[in-house]
Amino acid sequence: MTHNSPSNVRFSGATKYVLDSELAGIVNVSMALEMPLLLKGEPGTGKTMLAYAIAESLDMPLIVLNVKSSMKLIEALYQYDTLTRLNDSRFGDSMREVSNIDDYIKMGKIGQAFTAPHRTVLLIDEIDKADTDFQDDMLDVLDQMQFDIIETDQTIKAVNRPVIIITSNAKKDLSDPFLGRCNFHHIAFPDPKMMRKIIDIHFPDIDKTLAENAINAFFTMRELDGVEKKPATRELINWIRALNADPDFKSRDLIKGELPFLGVLFKKSPDYDRARSLTPRRRLF
Amino acid sequence: MFITFFYKLKEVGVPVSPTAFLTLQKALDRGLVSTLDDFYTTARAVLVKSERYFDLYDQVFAFCFEGVALPDSSGFEVDEVARAMLDEWLKNPKQLANALGIDPAKLADLSPDELIDYFKQRLKDQEGRHEGGNKWIGTGGTSPVGHSGYHPGGMRVGGESRNKSAVKVANERRYKDYSARGPLTQAMVGEALKRLRNMVPTGPRDEINIHDTIYKTMKNAGEIELVFDRSMRDRLKIILAIDNGGWSMDPYISVVQTLFDYARAQFKEVKTVFFHNTIYDHVWEDPQRYRKPLRVDDFTRRDPETRFIVLGDASMAPYELMAADGSIHVSGRSGKPSIERLRFIAETFAHCVWLNPVQESMWGYTHSIMAISSVFPMFELSLDGLEKAVSRLMIR
């Protein structure tokens, strides 16, 4: 696809993503205002998937920066590979030119998004894992759409402003200046009606009663008291996949309260035990 | 109109910035907003930066664009509290009638809505003549019930089904549970508590320090020298004292339990103890409170750096706190009033807080809460309160 100018692209959903109109509006406003969009919400509400969906529907390359807790901003921008250079200088058997520092500069994810020839979607995933310094430093970079490479005294400017999606699991509060420069949306957990649409998209030929029963069972399981990690959309999809793959399984069993493959829904052993103890034991004969 | 909207948001406590407001103008200028629904989502995405304020935003939006009455400033939550209390009291209509000072027959004639109006009127009156703090309904040892969101059984506010119109959506108050004063979720509790961690290097030097290794290697002109560090471990000790007695704490037990589950994994040592209403000579290690008593006097033998966290509604009859034999359990009578024991604990552990699930605005109405908060720094068991409590605990 050719170069997209910011004003004429509009996002309206993708093949595997059910988009509510509210969110579509917010994505489009953020793209038009060229502001990063910060998404919060429970795990499994489709924050990360949204970036994939935008990239797919607008036909832009997606660059994902997975934020880690110990990450320094510089890693996201570029890396000066001192170790390789040291090795090259000691053993001298590479194709690189030791005296040319540029040969040892590698672009990080933000750097790649800035230098890409086409407009890209830049997903900064789980920003809340990083410390506040990271967030604040990143702001300036995203605001000015440029950064400096100290070693070579170069300034890297964004060729095209990427569409920036930032996700946060609300582990930590983000700083005010950071929030100030983003648009914000909180994705609520899908209600059963929405969930049905999501399931339909993922399993176009699914048996209707199976879908219905599985979704009902799923929402009942989410309501269990004292469950630490509630099953999310991703778990439901995997669960349905597992149910479909089991030739012995009949969807009527779900109504009887027989729930196989609980381990797909509950990933923590106390949760699993809890869920298991509340469903009737499977008969041995 | 938009300016009024902006200032109204600011007034009710949504942190909105002028820059964001200008951004919103930009969006309007560019024709990105053509309907009220567009405006609802756009303005929220641009102005409001946390789901904690979505509920307030919704209320202000409904007020500005449909003239829905804004709950009065005495608290956006007053309706909720009133309803929650009413819920409790409806189980015992006679008590309610007494508290409101009307006779039970007349009470039966009132519709729930009339009752709530009447009740709210009373609540307002009380606020007006609060001096002395003992006129309010519920002083005689009845705990104030209520904190928004914990009473899903209560009557539903704005009970219309989902509709696409923005004003309707705003009226639904979908985000009530996310508000800063709303109920705590497990994740929120865990994350707030993580800040309590106190990392110190311990153990053998078994972690490689890459930065220093590279630096030393450079200094050695390329001859590799490895630098090792000790790993970081958490050494903080915590005592969690949980009030698990009486119905007044019931709604919070699951939250409290979560707090305890999360805390266990995070510290060097977490001891959970239980008590009922207030602490006398003993606290118990078992939730049933009879098998494993721990003497409060023995706390002096513990590390004084231990963080002591109490979770309780601090609501009880004044004599339970003040009288020398105030304990409602016969075995607990030692001749020292509970308030003195609390003071003793607060002196033993320099870092202590009391987390109270009762909404802060209600504290002034209960004598025992006031008394205990003069001994322990008290914080509301809400996200805000927990954060404040944690920063208080981390003061050196």
Side-chain angles (χ1 to χ4, degrees):
Chain A
M1 190 159 178
T2 46
H3 188 94
N4 291 308
S5 82
S7 53
N8 61 18
V9 262
R10 282 188 81 78
F11 170 61
S12 54
T15 47
K16 286 252 172 180
Y17 194 89
V18 181
L19 183 74
D20 78 77
S21 56
E22 195 175 272
L23 181 53
I26 292 169
V27 170
N28 285 322
V29 165
S30 302
M31 281 200 293
L33 292 173
E34 298 187 327
M35 283 171 80
L37 173 59
L38 172 67
L39 293 172
K40 272 212 258 177
E42 251 187 87
T45 40
K47 302 185 290 297
T48 308
M49 290 314 292
L50 177 69
Y52 283 87
I54 295 175
E56 186 200 314
S57 83
L58 301 184
D59 200 14
M60 293 183 195
L62 174 69
I63 295 178
V64 184
L65 171 66
N66 284 304
V67 178
K68 311 237 164 23
S69 58
S70 55
M71 201 177 235
K72 296 270 168 292
L73 180 72
I74 195 98
E75 295 167 43
L77 302 176
Y78 71 94
Q79 270 177 319
Y80 169 34
D81 193 349
T82 44
L83 218 58
T84 310
R85 190 164 178 233
L86 177 66
N87 265 351
D88 287 354
S89 71
R90 279 158 62 103
F91 308 115
D93 57 354
S94 81
M95 304 297 289
R96 288 173 288 261
E97 178 62 55
V98 176
S99 58
N100 182 12
I101 297 180
D102 275 340
D103 279 6
Y104 299 95
I105 302 281
K106 286 180 187 155
M107 283 298 159
K109 296 295 179 185
I110 294 180
Q112 289 171 20
F114 281 13
T115 51
H118 302 299
R119 198 175 185 206
T120 56
V121 177
L122 173 62
L123 167 65
I124 300 171
D125 213 7
E126 306 194 28
I127 180 81
D128 50 331
K129 276 192 194 161
D131 55 21
T132 327
D133 289 351
F134 179 93
Q135 297 163 12
D136 289 350
D137 295 350
M138 193 176 76
L139 260 187
D140 293 334
V141 172
L142 296 186
D143 212 37
Q144 289 155 20
M145 284 288 153
Q146 63 175 55
F147 62 87
D148 297 331
I149 297 178
I150 306 159
E151 286 79 3
T152 58
D153 203 18
Q154 262 184 299
T155 301
I156 302 290
K157 282 200 173 106
V159 184
N160 301 296
R161 283 181 94 99
V163 176
I164 304 171
I165 303 292
I166 304 173
T167 73
S168 161
N169 283 325
K171 290 200 165 139
K172 254 180 272 174
D173 273 347
L174 301 164
S175 69
D176 287 343
F178 186 88
L179 294 170
R181 284 182 230 180
C182 302
N183 286 333
F184 173 80
H185 184 62
H186 178 277
I187 305 188
F189 196 83
D191 57 4
K193 221 163 116 192
M194 184 78 171
M195 193 56 97
R196 212 149 291 150
K197 283 192 201 153
I198 295 173
I199 295 303
D200 283 347
I201 272 197
H202 282 265
F203 303 96
D205 337 297
I206 195 173
D207 173 39
K208 287 280 171 258
T209 32
L210 169 68
E212 188 92 351
N213 293 346
I215 290 168
N216 285 342
F218 170 78
F219 276 97
T220 323
M221 300 304 261
R222 269 181 64 84
E223 295 304 307
L224 287 183
D225 277 345
V227 168
E228 199 180 322
K229 161 94 184 58
K230 288 184 174 184
T233 317
R234 189 186 306 134
E235 276 81 30
L236 176 63
I237 291 172
N238 288 336
W239 192 48
I240 292 183
R241 201 166 284 148
L243 295 177
N244 263 334
D246 181 2
D248 295 338
F249 171 76
K250 290 178 198 64
S251 67
R252 279 173 41 232
D253 293 353
L254 288 176
I255 312 179
K256 285 191 251 157
E258 241 175 68
L259 305 171
F261 312 119
L262 277 180
V264 179
L265 290 177
F266 296 97
K267 310 286 178 62
K268 297 201 168 188
S269 35
D271 291 352
Y272 177 79
D273 292 343
R274 204 177 171 82
R276 211 180 154 73
S277 67
L278 290 170
T279 58
R281 224 169 267 160
R282 298 187 79 180
R283 294 206 184 95
L284 288 169
F285 327 100
Chain B
M1 183 180 198
F2 294 148
I3 293 179
T4 336
F5 179 57
F6 177 76
Y7 277 104
K8 200 79 208 168
L9 283 171
K10 209 169 171 57
E11 200 179 291
V12 300
V14 182
V16 281
S17 71
T19 332
F21 189 59
L22 290 178
T23 311
L24 180 62
Q25 301 304 321
K26 207 161 102 187
L28 291 170
D29 265 2
R30 297 216 186 145
L32 297 169
V33 175
S34 49
T35 64
L36 190 59
D37 293 0
D38 284 353
F39 181 74
Y40 170 80
T41 38
T42 308
R44 198 183 64 200
V46 172
L47 295 175
V48 187
K49 302 303 166 75
S50 167
E51 71 278 15
R52 285 191 226 167
Y53 302 109
F54 277 13
D55 184 42
L56 279 175
Y57 174 85
D58 276 0
Q59 291 182 56
V60 172
F61 186 89
F63 167 77
C64 287
F65 297 99
E66 211 196 32
V68 171
L70 209 53
D72 50 49
S73 62
S74 60
F76 270 53
E77 303 288 325
V78 98
D79 282 20
E80 287 307 304
V81 174
R83 278 167 207 273
M85 288 187 155
L86 205 59
D87 235 22
E88 264 322 309
W89 271 320
L90 282 177
K91 293 176 190 161
N92 188 349
K94 195 159 171 282
Q95 192 189 3
L96 174 65
N98 284 341
L100 292 176
I102 48 177
D103 86 282
K106 203 179 152 207
L107 180 75
D109 285 346
L110 293 175
S111 76
D113 277 340
E114 285 171 323
L115 201 56
I116 286 174
D117 282 345
Y118 185 87
F119 184 83
K120 266 161 59 182
Q121 201 49 52
R122 271 300 294 255
L123 213 58
K124 254 186 234 159
D125 289 353
Q126 287 300 149
E127 211 143 294
R129 39 191 171 85
H130 169 57
E131 317 89 8
N134 59 355
K135 283 285 279 182
W136 202 65
I137 322 162
T139 322
T142 317
S143 309
V145 193
H147 188 293
S148 65
Y150 282 118
H151 295 270
M155 281 155 267
R156 199 169 131 71
V157 188
E160 281 152 286
S161 67
R162 185 134 181 209
N163 189 300
K164 280 295 160 204
S165 130
V167 176
K168 281 272 169 55
V169 169
N171 261 327
E172 269 180 31
R173 303 191 56 194
R174 297 176 284 170
Y175 295 101
K176 206 160 64 178
D177 284 356
Y178 297 116
S179 81
R181 280 169 284 182
L184 288 168
T185 66
Q186 312 198 341
M188 285 170 169
V189 173
E191 291 308 327
L193 270 186
K194 268 194 188 145
R195 280 173 226 188
L196 260 178
R197 279 203 291 195
N198 183 20
M199 303 292 262
V200 284
T202 44
R205 292 182 180 274
D206 57 358
E207 269 189 9
I208 190 160
N209 182 329
I210 304 222
H211 189 265
D212 283 5
T213 300
I214 291 173
Y215 181 74
K216 280 274 165 74
T217 305
M218 296 298 176
K219 278 264 181 189
N220 285 355
E223 212 47 60
I224 289 169
E225 181 177 339
L226 297 173
V227 180
F228 288 96
D229 271 346
R230 291 194 168 111
S231 61
M232 301 293 267
R233 295 275 166 72
D234 202 342
R235 311 298 289 173
L236 207 61
K237 293 176 191 169
I238 304 265
I239 296 180
L240 266 180
I242 298 177
D243 175 358
N244 71 338
W247 60 269
S248 59
M249 280 296 288
D250 280 355
Y252 314 109
I253 280 180
S254 71
V255 180
V256 165
Q257 209 67 43
T258 316
L259 194 57
F260 145 87
D261 281 344
Y262 265 96
R264 212 211 304 253
Q266 280 186 15
F267 306 101
K268 157 92 170 114
E269 183 190 309
V270 179
K271 192 160 202 67
T272 309
V273 296
F274 299 94
F275 63 93
H276 180 201
N277 276 356
T278 181
I279 298 173
Y280 300 98
D281 286 354
H282 297 93
V283 287
W284 283 265
E285 284 182 77
D286 58 314
Q288 294 75 29
R289 299 191 310 275
Y290 68 94
R291 261 182 282 136
K292 290 187 197 153
L294 270 185
R295 274 157 43 91
V296 169
D297 285 330
D298 291 346
F299 281 163
T300 47
R301 299 220 297 262
R302 294 187 172 269
D303 183 353
E305 280 299 299
T306 302
R307 268 57 175 177
F308 194 88
I309 305 170
V310 193
L311 280 154
D313 59 9
S315 305
M316 65 203 89
Y319 71 83
E320 288 185 54
L321 205 56
M322 299 304 183
D325 57 352
S327 173
I328 50 175
H329 301 289
V330 182
S331 58
R333 297 188 178 173
S334 68
K336 280 186 193 147
S338 169
I339 191 89
E340 265 182 38
R341 306 305 290 166
L342 295 178
R343 211 166 275 139
F344 171 78
I345 294 171
E347 280 161 11
T348 308
F349 302 109
H351 303 280
C352 57
V353 291
W354 186 295
L355 292 171
N356 196 332
V358 176
Q359 209 184 320
E360 189 166 358
S361 58
M362 312 299 284
W363 292 356
Y365 300 120
T366 309
H367 173 262
S368 58
I369 294 184
M370 295 313 283
I372 290 175
S373 65
S374 70
V375 176
F376 280 95
M378 191 177 281
F379 302 94
E380 195 179 306
L381 184 61
S382 65
L383 198 54
D384 276 1
L386 199 59
E387 276 167 13
K388 282 183 205 146
V390 165
S391 55
R392 173 75 185 227
L393 285 169
M394 292 316 288
I395 295 174
R396 299 228 158 230

